[in-house]
Amino acid sequence: MPDLTSRTVTSLASVDAASWDALAHEGCPFLNHGFLRALELSGSIGDEAGWRPVYVLVEERGAGGAGSAPRLVGAAPTYVKRHSYGEFIFDWAWARAAVQGGLRYYPKLVIAAPMTPATGPRMLVAPDVARDEIVRRLVASVRDVADSERCWSIHWLFTTAREHDELATHGFLRRASYQYHWHNEGYADFEAFLATMTSRRRKQLRKERARARAGIDALEWLRGPDLAPDDLADIDRYYRATVRAYGGLDYLQPGFFEHVHKAMPEQMLWARARRGGRTIAGTLYFETDAALFGRYWGCDETVPFLHFEAAYYAAIERCIARKTPRFEAGAQGEHKLLRGFAPARTYSSHWFRHPGLASAVDRYLGEEAIAAHEQMRELEEYLPFRDDDGGDPDAP
């Protein structure tokens, strides 16, 4: 049995980046040391933002021989929250119910990638150690943090399916919701992807792509190392303009994109639309071998269907060319269905200190799970693909 010990830190500045990133992230970039550190350095998380970090670490003593420094073998990105903004697994109704019942709801403890609704491991474990013991240590340490910080609940957000099962064995309530993801079925090219659709939808997508491309000179893919300061300034400006346009909150503070670019440029990707020698729109992506993640779109000028081209179609085309298995284009958006994005389950796990609130939420989650399953089944009927037998109901 390895000699394991647990501790917490309030900043990743005190954690070796290579050791943190050597833990299994399973192709999700949003818990990389550089991404989380960029959130810290920009003030996007911290006391003022209402995301106070209390990172849980599990270390193995003596792993490198007598007198060697402890080796990091497990971690959980843990935050004390005094609100529910920036989570995308919504619990506002639970908070209202608690207050109406005379209970406190905040502070709460959240284990998540802040402000990022993308599935990935929330218990980062070294790939060469026995997982069960590390998971047990992480869960126990998270509970200790909840006690020491006087948190009224614990929420693991956008976990993997395996973690969802593991947390259930540790007494956490299951919650299943869904997003819309695109899956690569081994298409030869974008036209091969379109060929799986009904005639009507093929025509619609081709028309939208043509209209978008006619309104610009070029849509360029720039990898992170090739981004200039002007590109980073555009990304930041577009992010804030889009947030304002839709009445949202700019969770990512100025400086975030510069910090994340400095820390992990190889995983950044910028789809930049140009016209007349200048940038007029773009979408920021993060790319790994496992998936392409679309994050932030914005524009200076409105071009018909350019959002669909820069945020969906060009990205699907890239995934096909690179044989990337999955494309996540962010939360929500039933319009994605008609563009080939299918409902995909997302998972979260929850615990409540007050047994009455826990019981009420448990009943609610049971009903919600049935409704979500039915919604996913109904939404799949709107997917634009032809019948399995190759028939095309839209064909003349």
Side-chain angles (χ1 to χ4, degrees):
M1 177 68 69
D3 184 9
L4 300 176
T5 184
S6 303
R7 65 186 179 99
T8 61
V9 297
T10 58
S11 171
L12 286 189
S14 62
V15 178
D16 176 66
S19 297
W20 179 278
D21 289 342
L23 302 175
H25 292 253
E26 300 180 21
C28 182
F30 302 114
L31 292 184
N32 282 12
H33 189 281
F35 192 90
L36 297 178
R37 188 73 180 118
L39 292 171
E40 291 181 9
L41 290 170
S42 63
S44 302
I45 59 175
D47 282 334
E48 291 188 8
W51 287 81
R52 181 160 58 84
V54 189
Y55 301 104
V56 172
L57 310 178
V58 177
E59 296 171 321
E60 181 182 1
R61 294 174 177 168
S68 62
R71 174 196 172 207
L72 184 65
V73 293
T78 307
Y79 303 90
V80 178
K81 294 287 304 296
R82 61 171 184 261
H83 55 67
S84 293
Y85 292 105
E87 297 173 13
F88 301 95
I89 296 290
F90 301 109
D91 66 345
W92 296 105
W94 303 349
R96 287 194 297 271
V99 171
Q100 290 169 0
L103 305 176
R104 293 186 61 184
Y105 195 78
Y106 304 104
K108 65 179 184 178
L109 202 63
V110 170
I111 306 90
M115 286 78 80
T116 308
T119 293
R122 300 304 180 240
M123 291 183 278
L124 306 178
V125 179
D128 61 342
V129 300
R131 178 178 175 85
D132 289 350
E133 179 58 21
I134 305 302
V135 167
R136 189 190 69 79
R137 292 268 183 158
L138 289 172
V139 171
S141 296
V142 164
R143 290 188 184 276
D144 288 343
V145 171
D147 290 341
S148 64
E149 296 288 344
R150 298 182 179 181
C151 293
W152 293 92
S153 56
I154 302 173
H155 307 267
W156 303 76
L157 307 182
F158 292 99
T159 68
T160 65
R162 175 171 64 173
E163 290 173 326
H164 198 54
D165 292 338
E166 291 170 334
L167 289 165
T169 68
H170 287 277
F172 286 82
L173 303 178
R174 294 173 176 266
R175 188 179 195 183
S177 49
Y178 59 87
Q179 293 178 336
Y180 302 95
H181 297 170
W182 180 87
H183 294 277
N184 192 344
E185 302 295 340
Y187 306 109
D189 52 29
F190 193 83
E191 279 299 312
F193 165 60
L194 289 183
T196 66
M197 295 185 172
T198 63
S199 174
R200 180 182 304 170
R201 296 309 173 196
R202 285 199 301 273
K203 292 176 181 177
Q204 176 186 350
L205 267 62
R206 286 181 181 134
K207 178 181 178 180
E208 290 178 356
R209 294 204 80 182
R211 290 280 303 278
R213 290 285 181 167
I216 60 175
D217 296 332
L219 183 68
E220 307 166 334
W221 288 105
L222 274 71
R223 295 177 60 253
D226 301 322
L227 292 177
D230 286 348
D231 295 310
L232 294 172
D234 287 339
I235 292 169
D236 185 87
R237 178 165 51 81
Y238 288 158
Y239 166 74
R240 297 186 199 291
T242 300
V243 167
R244 289 194 298 271
Y246 290 94
L249 298 174
D250 52 346
Y251 300 124
L252 303 177
Q253 295 301 298
F256 168 77
F257 295 106
E258 287 82 359
H259 286 300
V260 78
H261 176 254
K262 181 178 180 180
M264 46 187 290
E266 293 296 336
Q267 291 178 302
M268 294 180 71
L269 187 66
W270 175 228
R272 184 177 69 179
R274 304 274 287 177
R275 186 169 67 189
R278 62 190 184 87
T279 300
I280 65 165
T283 302
L284 180 66
Y285 294 85
F286 288 84
E287 185 174 51
T288 70
D289 290 339
L292 180 65
F293 300 90
R295 302 281 16 115
Y296 313 112
W297 147 268
C299 63
D300 288 319
E301 300 178 19
T302 300
V303 175
F305 303 112
L306 182 55
H307 171 249
F308 292 151
E309 174 65 15
Y312 303 142
Y313 302 145
I316 290 173
E317 195 166 46
R318 182 178 178 88
C319 287
I320 292 171
R322 294 174 57 85
K323 301 185 183 335
T324 304
R326 187 177 80 256
F327 171 30
E328 296 188 19
Q332 303 173 343
E334 291 185 5
H335 60 277
K336 296 172 186 170
L337 279 169
L338 300 184
R339 292 159 179 89
F341 291 78
R345 288 196 178 278
T346 56
Y347 304 98
S348 60
S349 301
H350 309 268
W351 171 86
F352 299 89
R353 189 173 298 279
H354 191 278
L357 182 59
S359 178
V361 170
D362 191 21
R363 291 193 300 272
Y364 169 82
L365 291 178
E367 297 171 357
E368 183 187 52
I370 295 172
H373 177 78
E374 181 63 20
Q375 288 167 0
M376 290 180 67
R377 188 191 65 78
E378 292 177 357
L379 288 168
E380 287 174 352
E381 297 179 1
Y382 290 92
L383 287 168
F385 303 113
R386 295 182 298 168
D387 296 336
D388 291 340
D389 62 3
D392 186 346
D394 294 335

